Every structure is written in structure tokens, then in C-alpha cells.
Amino acid sequence: MAAADLDGDGDLDLLASNFSGYTVSVLINQPPPPQVRIVGDSVLCNGGQTQLTARGPVPIVAYRWSTGATTASITVSQPGTYGVSVTFNEGTISTAQHVVTAITPTARITGDTVLCGGQALPLLAVSPGARSYAWSTGATTAGISVTQPGTYTVTALFGTGCAATARITVRAPTVLITGNPVLCSGAGASTVLTATAAPGATIRWSTGATTTALTVSQPGTYTATATFPGGCTLTASQAVTRPVATISGDTVVCAGRPVQLTAALPGVANATYSWSTGATTPGISVAQAGTYFVAVGYGAGCVSTLQLRVRAGLVVPTFSLGADTTLCEGEALVLRAPARQPGVAYRWSDGSTGSTLRVTQAGSYSLQLTGGCDVRTASRRIDYKACLNIPNVVTANNDGQNDQFKIQGLTGGNWTLEVFDRWGRKVYTTTAYQNNWGDQAAAGVYFYLLRRPDTAASYKGWVEVLR
């Protein structure tokens, strides 16, 4: 018996030899026979197709599939077990099987849809049987964590051409109050406010109510606090008012000058107006006296009715205070207004409002009469002059008559008097003459200078003192 590498595979082969009638059996070391394998997807997606291919370690010369096909590859569109039998080039036969299942791919994303400020929100793709994931963020894991609101998409991959997509919108927390913020006037009026927040949030009103809808019957500010599953809270407030309608405008109408009446409902943007004249605008123009009505509609069937009486304005008659005049100093003049009329206002130039004005100084004086439709003014100029009666003889004999140098008309201020004798010597002077010079003077002729400094009035002449 001898050992040799007969087949060139590097192994020593044992040979069988017959020596002297003896038969010797020898075991030869040979490799295992080649095996066929089937490659291809094992998943059929939504009634699609997949290709199965038979492959072996050595060339294959013949194929027979369980479907009857004799090609290296087959395309299948039904789930099931597919087998193949192949013949290799040295005549060895090998078989293999491949199971193909049908699936309908599904994908969904779980996680909260409200992102509280400063928190990270976990999202998880749920897709039974998926082999991999592709998120819109670029992540390829089943779960991701997001910190910004937005729409996130994931595609779950099951096999060749088989995928399912899901998306979720993550929002910042919001709470909104809706409802009519206006209460009708009158007892029993109410309105309903509704707080709307993201799904899963709980609501608590400032009144203590925990319902989403709140019935309100009193003016005020109402606040709703929404608590979200993530633990954050958000509030919204709504002011509820009971508006008061007003009507304004001139209550006096004059001939040829219409007045404007305006109705308003502060705080209400969509109020409606219906006037007794038929107008539906907030303001109307009226040219006749009378009582005007307006119905102001607001809210849900609320109506407020107002009225305003417009009177015909009084016409102020023309009048006069008299002609300009000049008075002697010290005299007074009383200016008189025309007979009073109801609704007419009187005002003198000095601000007084009486029926008369007493004048004691020079100037221009006026009276203004203001009625509903007219303003009339009349003026009068009053001047003053010195009306002096200066004697030229003084009989200083102590008989009580004409004993002093008495000047008639020294009124309205201080008068300065200087008296000189015939030789020009000043014998008397005063800044406030009181008609008291002369009874002590010596007989003779004197010269005088009489002045009033505040008016620059000046008189000079002579007077003789007799004894």
C-alpha cells in the first residue's frame, strides 16, 4: 500500500492494492459535495415582486425550481416556500428552499405633539418588521429627540422597494379664548367664553372652573390656564365688557347750519346703528329742531336705544351801547345791556356778566351777546377831559366866601400847584392841592402853574388876592 496525491488537491490519497490474494481497503480524504443556496428578498411588499437566484460554489449546469422554471433566477409575486434543485458540472445534485412572506408595511410615530419650552421631546417610530429607519432630521434610529416645533417624517424600510412613511407635527403650546366679549345691558345677560388648547391639556379658569366653556354674566377679565402633558403651563386672558352707548353733538341748530349727531359704542368694532331718520350710519346731519333716536346693536342680539333733543337756536338781535362820548374828569357813566333773553349769555369787556357796567375811566368798552346761533358785539369809546373852573380873584377877608383859591373840577387824581409872586418868587407849592391856598396870602397879583402829572394836563394864569 502506498500513499500519493493522485487528484492534485494537496491531500494524500490512500490507494487500495491487492497483494498475494489479499484485498486491502483504503479510505480516501475527499471534500464535501457542493451545496446550492438561494439569494433574494424574503419579503413581498403590498403585492409586489421579488427575485430569487440559485447560486453555488462551482458552476451549475442545470436548474429546476419548484415552480417548474429552469433558469438561474425566478421572479415570484406570491408568498410561499420556493425550492430549487441544481446539477453541478461534475454531476452532483443539490437542493435548497427559500421562504417568502407577504407584508403590508405600516409606520406610525408615538410621542407628545406639544413641545414645552426648554425641554426635549422624544419621538419613536413604530413599524413592526422594519429593518431600518430614515428620519427627516437625518437620524437612522427608531427614536429621536426634538427641541424645535415642526413636522417630522420617518420612513421605515422593510426590504427591497418596501417602505412605509409616517409624519407627526410638533407644536409649541398654545391656548386661545374665543367667544363674544360683550355683555348685553340689562339683568340676566351672559356670554360664553371657550378655551382651546392642544389635545391632552387641562383647563382651569380664574373663576376656578375646569371646563373648556365658561358662562360669564359680569364684566371683567377672565384667565384660562392650560396645563400640558409635558408639565408646562400657558395662560390666556379675555376682557368682557358691558359697553355703554353714547350720542353726542350740538343740541342747538341754527338756520342754514346743520349739526352733526354721532352715536358710538366704545370697545365694539361691529356695532350697527338705526336712526329715527332711517339712517344706518354712526353719524347723521340734522337741520331741524326735534328729538332724534338711535338704536345701537351689538354682540349677539344686544340693542341700546338713545335719544337727543335738538333745539332751535336763539337769534341775537343787533344792539348799541350808544355813541362815543367825552366826560369831565370825575364823572361816571353807566352802560346798559339790552333786555335779557333766555339762552343768551352776556359778557362785558372787563369780564363781568351783569346787565350794566359803570365807567369811570377813559377807554373802549364792549359787550358781547352769545346766543345759540349768533355772537354780536357792540362797543363804545369813553374819553375824559378836565372841566376846571379857575377863579382869578380871591377875597381873603375871612367872610367865608371866596377866601381860598378854589378851583372847581379838581377830580380824578392829585394836582400839583405852584404859586409865584409878581417878582417870580415861588411862594407856594404842593403835589396834592386841596383848594386851600390864598387866605393867608398878602394882597397882590400872583401867577400859578397847575398840573396833573398822570395826564400831562397843565394850566397857568394869574389870580389877584384882595383884602
Side-chain angles (χ1 to χ4, degrees):
M1 180 178 62
D5 185 5
L6 300 178
D7 55 9
D9 61 359
D11 297 329
L12 293 178
D13 301 328
L14 296 181
L15 304 177
S17 302
N18 188 357
F19 296 99
S20 304
Y22 294 94
T23 300
V24 179
S25 297
V26 180
L27 178 62
I28 299 175
N29 183 18
Q30 293 183 343
Q35 299 294 319
V36 67
R37 60 190 178 90
I38 300 175
V39 297
D41 207 338
S42 60
V43 175
L44 284 175
C45 182
N46 287 331
Q49 297 177 339
T50 188
Q51 188 179 65
L52 304 180
T53 301
R55 292 181 181 176
V58 296
I60 298 174
V61 297
Y63 304 85
R64 179 166 294 276
W65 292 86
S66 54
T67 63
T70 58
T71 55
S73 299
I74 63 173
T75 299
V76 300
S77 59
Q78 297 295 326
T81 300
Y82 293 87
V84 65
S85 176
V86 301
T87 302
F88 296 102
N89 58 357
E90 78 279 10
T92 303
I93 297 174
S94 178
T95 62
Q97 290 184 333
H98 189 81
V99 178
V100 176
T101 59
I103 65 169
T104 298
T106 60
R108 61 187 178 91
I109 301 173
T110 61
D112 198 353
T113 59
V114 178
L115 180 63
C116 293
Q119 299 182 9
L121 182 67
L123 300 178
L124 179 65
V126 178
S127 188
R131 298 176 183 177
S132 61
Y133 301 91
W135 287 88
S136 53
T137 63
T140 57
T141 54
I144 62 171
S145 182
V146 300
T147 59
Q148 297 295 326
T151 298
Y152 295 88
T153 303
V154 65
T155 298
L157 303 173
F158 295 84
T160 303
C162 187
T165 299
R167 61 177 45 85
I168 190 172
T169 298
V170 176
R171 296 171 295 167
T174 59
V175 58
L176 176 67
I177 298 178
T178 58
N180 184 12
V182 177
L183 288 171
C184 294
S185 58
S190 64
T191 187
V192 176
L193 302 180
T194 302
T196 304
T202 59
I203 300 295
R204 177 173 289 275
W205 290 91
S206 51
T207 63
T210 56
T211 55
T212 56
L214 179 69
T215 300
V216 174
S217 59
Q218 294 296 327
T221 298
Y222 296 85
T223 301
T225 300
T227 302
F228 298 89
C232 59
T233 61
L234 196 65
T235 62
S237 297
Q238 177 63 62
V240 176
T241 61
R242 180 177 280 122
V244 178
T246 61
I247 182 172
S248 60
D250 199 340
T251 58
V252 176
V253 62
C254 302
R257 299 204 302 260
V259 297
Q260 186 77 14
L261 304 183
T262 302
L265 191 63
V268 178
N270 299 316
T272 61
Y273 302 89
S274 178
W275 290 87
S276 53
T277 63
T280 57
T281 54
I284 61 172
S285 179
V286 300
Q288 301 294 327
T291 300
Y292 294 87
F293 298 85
V294 61
V296 182
Y298 59 98
C302 303
V303 177
S304 181
T305 302
L306 307 171
Q307 69 180 45
L308 184 67
R309 181 172 177 264
V310 177
R311 297 178 292 104
L314 295 175
V315 177
V316 179
T318 58
F319 67 99
S320 173
L321 296 178
D324 296 347
T325 189
T326 300
L327 302 177
C328 290
E329 290 177 336
E331 291 184 341
L333 178 65
V334 176
L335 302 179
R336 298 185 181 278
R340 285 191 174 271
Q341 299 183 52
V344 177
Y346 292 67
R347 186 176 182 85
W348 293 94
S349 50
D350 68 346
S352 63
T353 58
S355 299
T356 61
L357 179 67
R358 189 172 186 272
V359 177
T360 59
Q361 294 181 352
S364 181
Y365 297 86
S366 63
L367 173 64
Q368 182 183 78
L369 270 57
T370 303
C373 296
D374 300 283
V375 177
R376 296 187 185 276
T377 302
S379 299
R380 184 177 182 183
R381 176 72 191 181
I382 308 297
D383 291 312
Y384 277 87
K385 67 179 180 178
C387 300
L388 302 182
N389 184 6
I390 304 175
N392 57 11
V393 174
V394 173
T395 58
N397 55 8
N398 294 319
D399 63 355
Q401 297 182 4
N402 199 29
D403 290 329
Q404 286 91 17
F405 182 47
K406 291 186 177 181
I407 304 171
Q408 296 180 4
L410 286 183
T411 57
N414 291 329
W415 289 84
T416 297
L417 176 65
E418 294 175 303
V419 180
F420 303 87
D421 64 14
R422 62 196 314 180
W423 294 281
R425 292 177 300 195
K426 185 183 295 185
V427 295
Y428 179 82
T429 181
T430 181
T431 58
Y433 185 56
Q434 300 296 323
N435 284 332
N436 54 0
W437 175 81
D439 58 347
Q440 301 297 323
V445 176
Y446 296 85
F447 298 90
Y448 63 84
L449 177 60
L450 181 66
R451 292 179 293 115
R452 181 178 173 182
D454 59 344
T455 64
S458 178
Y459 302 86
K460 59 184 178 178
W462 61 269
V463 59
E464 183 179 3
V465 177
L466 301 176
R467 285 190 176 275

